[in-house]
Amino acid sequence: MYKELVIPQRTIMTPGPVEADPRVLRVMSAPILGQYDPDFLKIMDEVQDLLRYTFQTENHQTFVVDGTARAGIEAVLSGIIEKGDKVYVPIFGRFGHLLTEISKRAGGDVHTTEIEWGTTYSFHQLKKEIDEFQPKVVAIVHGETSTGRMQPLKELGHYCREKDILLVVDSVATLTGTEFKTDEWKIDAVIAGTQKCLSVPTGMAPLTYNDRVEKILKERRKIEQGLDKDSFNDRMISTNYLDLSQIQEYWSPKRLNHHTEATSMLYALREGLRIIKEESLEERIKRHKYNEKALVEGLKAMGLEIFGEEFDKVPTVTCVMVPEGVVESEVRLEMIKNFSVEIAAAFGPLTGKLWRIGSMGYSCRKENVLRVLSALEATLIRKGVCVNRGEALQAALNIYEV
Ligand SMILES: *Cc1c(COP(=O)(O)O)cnc(C)c1O
């Protein structure tokens, strides 16, 4: 016999997945609706509307791909990249490599640059590469969760538009955690994820794109022969499940029969977005900044070193150096075991060197910041690390009590 699942209550301070708002979890237990039920279609329309607010866009094509954030990235890049198309990906961490990998698989002629992990590009560096390579598409990460850095996009967006280049942005780690203005920054396509600052379980990729992208998708449109036996297109998109030329029609009044929409997940997303609208983007961004400050001040007061510089730090992820004499993974495991608090390891060249502490969405709140600081301090002391005892919580409380 298998026992009923009893899931422990965790304090999740990673860069995703993060804790879901209890309101989101509640709505997920609502009854199933059929995907063409008028009551469900209304939910789809509302989600699109709420997403436009969240992405700060007027784009008509604003909807959700079922799958994690990378499904959304893959859908957009496979939709616009055809064999031999020139794509430029400026890499500054793990997720730039992901954009590269997906662009190559889509058949792109991909040019990359890579800078040291922990830094970001100046507009001048990006412009130089763009002028030399003359790509059709530039794909870039906004908040690089692997290094805790944030790449400024406004100048890049305006420049790409001026040069008629399509700019695709991964805002998975930043959307609603910091300012992100799709239209104002002239970004052609943006992809997000649900399990980061939206505080909804993983499994959906909200995205938005403008008519420049839509035009290419329409040219490549090909629907299944079981629905239209005459549909033919020699430029058709190579993936069926992630074919935006069909999915955008599923999300249109035509309701083209493509996949079966994940109805319960969409209830969850609607609730998550409704919470964002209630809080307002401005307040939410302020809340992320405020808690980040308390976290950073606490870590510094403990005597730990923050990785990277302050000016390009992403407010939703704080990378902190692992002090001498401890094994990074042991500290993380003991924090879970003793305190039910989770933080994240690092990737690639940074493996073992730093911890990544997320402060995203519903997880980004005072009691969580205080819990992660106390759990980390106590664990380090037990491991024999010399820290400034008792200082971290006081420094964080000083921020909260102003
Ligand atoms: C988490 C993350 C992804 C990947 O998201 P999945 O939902 O795991 O596919 C992509 N880009 C960035 C910047 C991320 O932080």
Side-chain angles (χ1 to χ4, degrees):
M1 284 292 281
Y2 292 95
K3 291 199 196 107
E4 191 181 340
L5 269 183
V6 181
I7 306 291
Q9 187 73 49
R10 297 273 193 248
T11 295
I12 311 183
M13 296 300 272
T14 69
V18 305
E19 296 164 36
D21 192 295
R23 276 172 57 182
V24 170
L25 297 177
R26 266 199 308 274
V27 82
M28 290 182 79
S29 60
I32 302 294
L33 283 174
Q35 62 168 339
Y36 296 111
D37 184 313
D39 283 350
F40 184 67
L41 298 180
K42 184 161 170 276
I43 294 174
M44 288 175 77
D45 291 342
E46 288 172 350
V47 164
Q48 288 190 282
D49 239 18
L50 287 162
L51 278 177
R52 287 188 192 102
Y53 169 72
T54 307
F55 278 114
Q56 294 283 283
T57 185
E58 304 277 318
N59 287 341
H60 178 67
Q61 298 300 355
T62 305
F63 54 87
V64 172
V65 165
D66 295 328
T68 67
R70 74 174 60 206
I73 298 171
E74 193 152 339
V76 168
L77 293 174
S78 329
I80 58 177
I81 299 171
E82 294 177 68
K83 199 165 171 46
D85 277 349
K86 288 164 83 171
V87 182
Y88 170 43
V89 185
I91 300 170
F92 57 106
R94 174 185 171 185
F95 292 105
H97 283 284
L98 177 66
L99 296 177
T100 305
E101 151 104 24
I102 293 174
S103 300
K104 282 188 180 159
R105 287 182 188 233
D109 167 14
V110 185
H111 170 65
T112 59
T113 49
E114 183 168 5
I115 52 175
E116 193 188 335
W117 287 30
T119 63
T120 46
Y121 289 87
S122 70
F123 170 64
H124 183 75
Q125 280 173 293
L126 296 172
K127 179 176 179 296
K128 184 171 158 284
E129 295 297 325
I130 290 170
D131 289 346
E132 270 169 32
F133 185 63
Q134 307 222 329
K136 167 182 160 178
V137 178
V138 172
I140 193 167
V141 174
H142 183 220
E144 187 42 271
T145 16
S146 64
T147 63
R149 305 270 69 78
M150 183 159 71
Q151 176 63 48
L153 295 173
K154 195 171 166 185
E155 261 182 306
L156 176 66
H158 282 80
Y159 191 64
C160 286
R161 187 62 56 87
E162 190 187 310
K163 297 281 163 188
D164 199 24
I165 295 164
L166 292 172
L167 178 60
V168 177
V169 173
D170 166 344
S171 77
V172 178
T174 48
L175 196 72
T176 83
T178 185
E179 189 175 68
F180 193 94
K181 297 188 181 288
T182 304
D183 291 358
E184 205 179 301
W185 295 351
K186 306 255 180 279
I187 301 167
D188 295 290
V190 185
I191 305 99
T194 45
Q195 78 274 27
K196 312 251 168 148
C197 304
L198 305 188
S199 272
V200 171
T202 180
M204 281 174 297
L207 48 82
T208 184
Y209 50 85
N210 60 20
D211 47 8
R212 286 152 50 89
V213 171
E214 189 180 349
K215 181 168 171 286
I216 300 176
L217 296 171
K218 281 194 168 144
E219 288 165 8
R220 303 185 71 187
R221 177 181 185 270
K222 154 84 175 70
I223 66 170
E224 288 168 42
Q225 302 236 300
L227 299 179
D228 175 2
K229 75 175 175 24
D230 298 324
S231 182
F232 171 81
N233 193 328
D234 59 5
R235 286 172 62 198
M236 76 174 175
I237 293 165
S238 68
T239 162
N240 172 311
Y241 187 64
L242 299 175
D243 179 352
L244 289 180
S245 79
Q246 295 185 75
I247 300 173
Q248 69 181 18
E249 286 188 29
Y250 175 50
W251 281 84
S252 81
K254 270 194 199 165
R255 305 289 176 194
L256 172 77
N257 198 331
H258 182 251
H259 61 290
T260 310
E261 189 47 45
T263 54
S264 303
M265 288 297 286
L266 218 66
Y267 309 158
L269 180 58
R270 182 184 177 280
E271 191 63 11
L273 296 172
R274 202 163 75 91
I275 292 167
I276 291 166
K277 183 101 198 234
E278 278 173 15
E279 184 179 12
S280 90
L281 279 176
E282 293 73 22
E283 286 305 314
R284 196 173 178 90
I285 290 163
K286 261 195 240 161
R287 171 164 63 82
H288 279 83
K289 205 63 207 157
Y290 184 51
N291 287 293
E292 178 213 19
K293 189 164 169 54
L295 174 65
V296 168
E297 290 307 316
L299 291 167
K300 283 190 196 159
M302 205 188 295
L304 299 178
E305 188 192 336
I306 306 291
F307 174 73
E309 291 189 53
E310 205 180 315
F311 80 97
D312 61 359
K313 183 184 175 304
V314 68
T316 54
V317 190
T318 299
C319 295
V320 57
M321 304 302 295
V322 176
E324 294 268 315
V326 282
V327 181
E328 164 304 288
S329 57
E330 287 179 6
V331 173
R332 272 187 299 114
L333 289 177
E334 288 197 20
M335 284 173 72
I336 291 196
K337 198 177 77 190
N338 292 328
F339 299 90
S340 219
V341 172
E342 187 184 5
I343 61 173
F347 307 118
L350 301 175
T351 307
K353 296 191 183 139
L354 47 88
W355 290 298
R356 299 177 306 133
I357 304 179
S359 47
M360 294 178 162
Y362 182 67
S363 279
C364 180
R365 53 191 209 276
K366 178 180 168 185
E367 61 264 40
N368 278 20
V369 168
L370 297 178
R371 275 183 203 138
V372 76
L373 289 171
S374 61
L376 181 60
E377 176 179 328
T379 307
L380 290 176
I381 291 171
R382 293 204 76 75
K383 291 276 172 198
V385 177
C386 179
V387 297
N388 303 323
R389 294 183 181 213
E391 298 296 329
L393 289 176
Q394 296 307 313
L397 287 170
N398 284 344
I399 302 290
Y400 288 122
E401 282 164 15
V402 251

